[in-house]
Amino acid sequence: MNRLVAFLGFLLLLIAPAAGQTADLKLVVLGDSLSAGYRLGPDEGFPEQLQKALGEKGHSVEVVNAGVSGDTTTGGLARLDWSVGEDTDAVIVELGANDALRGISPEISRQNIEEIVRRLRERGIEVLLAGMLAPRNLGPEYAEIFDPIYSEVAKTHGALLYPFFLEGVALDPDLNLSDGMHPNAQGVAVIVERILPKVEELLANAQSS
């Protein structure tokens, strides 16, 4: 029995990463409450579930939660430099929902998102822009200006695009908290599953660069 225990321990040493071993890549999620883990448990938020999913796919990456509940694109831009450290390889930008909820001018949102992506790309950081759609109660004119921001900015600055962060989750009561706006743990799992191929593409770009 002692020999068996010792042998199993030896196998674990071979499989487990060495103590203090760091990940090959660092991925920062710059977002608002949708990605920050609003009212969710410690391991239920988007960065945490994404970290687990990437690990299961064999990726050596550290996913950092830089989400701030209530943040707008203006807030994200203001904290960009200290939220995204010099050792960052890639960033998922998930901002804009609060701009739309507050009826902030889409032109302001566009300027902020464009500046965030421009500055990150200027630093040599790969970017995945997670899009948002304007609430339809703001009227068609607002949506017509707001909705294309993400695809146009991504195209201009060579960023990857995931068109709608809440795809497959928005308006589904089973996948959202009681407020009807924030994903629950199951909703986050759906988001992670759907966005994962784009995140893997993002990491491949970061690895090659």
Side-chain angles (χ1 to χ4, degrees):
M1 177 63 71
N2 289 337
R3 289 183 177 180
L4 177 60
V5 171
F7 178 68
L8 291 174
F10 175 70
L11 287 180
L12 287 174
L13 286 174
L14 291 178
I15 297 171
Q21 181 179 350
T22 58
D24 292 338
L25 296 172
K26 181 176 180 180
L27 168 62
V28 174
V29 182
L30 182 73
D32 49 37
S33 57
L34 296 177
S35 60
Y38 176 75
R39 287 175 53 189
L40 297 179
D43 299 319
E44 295 177 341
F46 175 74
E48 293 78 18
Q49 291 203 41
L50 180 61
Q51 173 90 65
K52 181 180 178 182
L54 289 170
E56 290 173 349
K57 298 276 280 186
H59 297 284
S60 175
V61 56
E62 176 191 4
V63 182
V64 178
N65 187 345
V68 174
S69 294
D71 217 359
T72 61
T73 58
T74 299
L77 176 58
R79 64 185 177 89
L80 178 64
D81 291 338
W82 59 265
S83 292
V84 181
E86 292 300 321
D87 57 344
T88 301
D89 300 291
V91 173
I92 298 174
V93 179
E94 180 278 303
L95 290 165
N98 289 312
D99 293 49
L101 287 174
R102 299 175 190 182
I104 293 172
S105 168
E107 290 306 319
I108 293 176
S109 302
R110 176 185 290 273
Q111 291 170 12
N112 290 332
I113 293 172
E114 186 149 29
E115 183 65 7
I116 289 170
V117 175
R118 185 193 68 78
R119 282 165 57 175
L120 290 172
R121 297 295 291 131
E122 199 172 60
R123 290 170 56 184
I125 296 173
E126 296 294 331
V127 177
L128 171 57
L129 194 53
M132 183 52 55
L133 299 176
R136 273 19 193 181
N137 62 353
L138 295 175
E141 292 183 359
Y142 188 96
E144 286 173 7
I145 301 173
F146 183 90
D147 291 355
I149 289 173
Y150 299 87
S151 60
E152 292 172 2
V153 170
K155 183 177 181 180
T156 299
H157 294 282
L160 294 175
L161 174 70
Y162 184 73
F164 182 36
F165 185 68
L166 297 176
E167 182 68 39
V169 174
L171 304 179
D172 187 334
D174 293 332
L175 299 177
N176 286 278
L177 300 175
S178 57
D179 61 13
M181 295 187 296
H182 294 89
N184 57 27
Q186 293 74 28
V188 172
V190 172
I191 294 171
V192 169
E193 181 180 7
R194 287 173 173 262
I195 202 174
L196 191 59
K198 274 294 179 184
V199 177
E200 290 189 289
E201 185 179 350
L202 174 72
L203 296 179
N205 290 347
Q207 191 80 57
S208 63
S209 64

